[in-house]
Amino acid sequence: MKKILIILLVFALIVIISVIAIDPLGFRSPLSPTGVPTIAPTDSIQSLRSSTTTPNFASEIIVDGLNNPWDIIMLPDESYIFSERANKLTHLANGVKTSIPTPDDTVVRGEGGLLGLAIDPEFSSNRFIYACFNSNLSGNTDVRVVRWKLSLSNDLLEDRRDIITGIPANESGRHSGCQLEFGPDNYLWVGTGDAAIGSTPQDPTSLGGKILRVDR
């Protein structure tokens, strides 16, 4: 009895190896009228290969000469505002750049400076934009998220409101990363850096190394 079981197991193993050798990628068509599976036609395999071809993209430089560009947002009129870490904010429309005055309390050092941007989901009615940056407004340097109202001329930030303060910042600026994004739930989501302190992300009392959800 044991000998018969061994023979059956060996036979089953041979069948499995044969199937893998014939059809290693699993491209099989439905059973033929005889009940024997057949190899998928070559055109099916070629179709799969063509569907994974890397798409072609055309690139165009619309602005250059920037100093550590960090983030970019599109306004409803399809113009842009982009940040440079060296505390520069620029409005770009039809190839024309207009500088927007930035906060005086921005600290540009190492990986710190003017960082992420976001546009309010209701921008068309409230004109709110958001930015995060290293700041010395409180005396010590922290990373904070601030909201402004953008002027109708797109060249001035008004009515500042500090949304989040006290995100830890390294004095050297290391790991100051701060990214802003509005989700489909209309909450503002904020990704923060760990200030180059490995234990910060696991510290529930710290805002560093976290993803924060903000009810604006």
Side-chain angles (χ1 to χ4, degrees), residues 127-182:
R127 304 286 298 177
F128 289 159
I129 67 169
Y130 303 75
C132 52
F133 56 94
N134 295 59
S135 167
N136 60 10
L137 188 64
S138 64
N140 297 318
T141 302
D142 67 357
V143 177
R144 57 184 56 205
V145 178
V146 175
R147 187 190 76 191
W148 289 279
K149 187 173 184 179
L150 182 66
S151 65
L152 293 175
S153 55
N154 296 325
D155 61 358
L156 189 63
L157 301 176
E158 304 170 320
D159 301 332
R160 171 173 171 167
R161 179 185 174 189
D162 291 46
I163 303 293
I164 305 175
T165 62
I167 301 171
N170 191 299
E171 286 302 317
S172 69
R174 290 186 61 206
H175 293 203
S176 295
C178 184
Q179 186 67 50
L180 306 177
E181 189 71 38
F182 274 97

Side-chain angles (χ1 to χ4, degrees), residues 21-55:
I22 294 173
D23 186 26
L25 299 179
F27 295 120
R28 286 192 175 273
S29 63
L31 294 178
S32 68
T34 62
V36 179
T38 57
I39 301 298
T42 304
D43 57 351
S44 297
I45 299 175
Q46 293 298 333
S47 175
L48 179 65
R49 288 174 177 168
S50 63
S51 68
T52 58
T53 302
T54 302

Side-chain angles (χ1 to χ4, degrees), residues 47-208:
S47 175
L48 179 65
R49 288 174 177 168
S50 63
S51 68
T52 58
T53 302
T54 302
N56 294 320
F57 293 99
S59 62
E60 177 186 0
I61 297 175
I62 58 175
V63 62
D64 57 10
L66 305 180
N67 184 358
N68 292 311
W70 219 95
D71 207 352
I72 185 169
I73 54 176
M74 178 185 286
L75 303 184
D77 62 2
E78 297 188 356
S79 63
Y80 301 92
I81 292 178
F82 60 86
S83 63
E84 297 174 70
R85 198 169 63 198
N87 200 27
K88 292 183 179 180
L89 198 61
T90 304
H91 178 251
L92 178 66
N94 300 317
V96 178
K97 295 189 297 182
T98 302
S99 295
I100 301 174
T102 50
D104 295 333
D105 54 298
T106 304
V107 177
V108 180
R109 187 178 298 131
E111 298 171 5
L114 183 57
L115 306 172
L117 302 174
I119 180 172
D120 195 278
E122 299 176 3
F123 176 85
S124 296
S125 59
N126 61 29
R127 304 286 298 177
F128 289 159
I129 67 169
Y130 303 75
C132 52
F133 56 94
N134 295 59
S135 167
N136 60 10
L137 188 64
S138 64
N140 297 318
T141 302
D142 67 357
V143 177
R144 57 184 56 205
V145 178
V146 175
R147 187 190 76 191
W148 289 279
K149 187 173 184 179
L150 182 66
S151 65
L152 293 175
S153 55
N154 296 325
D155 61 358
L156 189 63
L157 301 176
E158 304 170 320
D159 301 332
R160 171 173 171 167
R161 179 185 174 189
D162 291 46
I163 303 293
I164 305 175
T165 62
I167 301 171
N170 191 299
E171 286 302 317
S172 69
R174 290 186 61 206
H175 293 203
S176 295
C178 184
Q179 186 67 50
L180 306 177
E181 189 71 38
F182 274 97
D185 53 8
N186 282 344
Y187 284 107
L188 176 62
W189 295 82
V190 184
T192 66
D194 63 6
I197 300 174
S199 60
T200 297
Q202 287 75 42
D203 182 357
T205 66
S206 173
L207 296 177

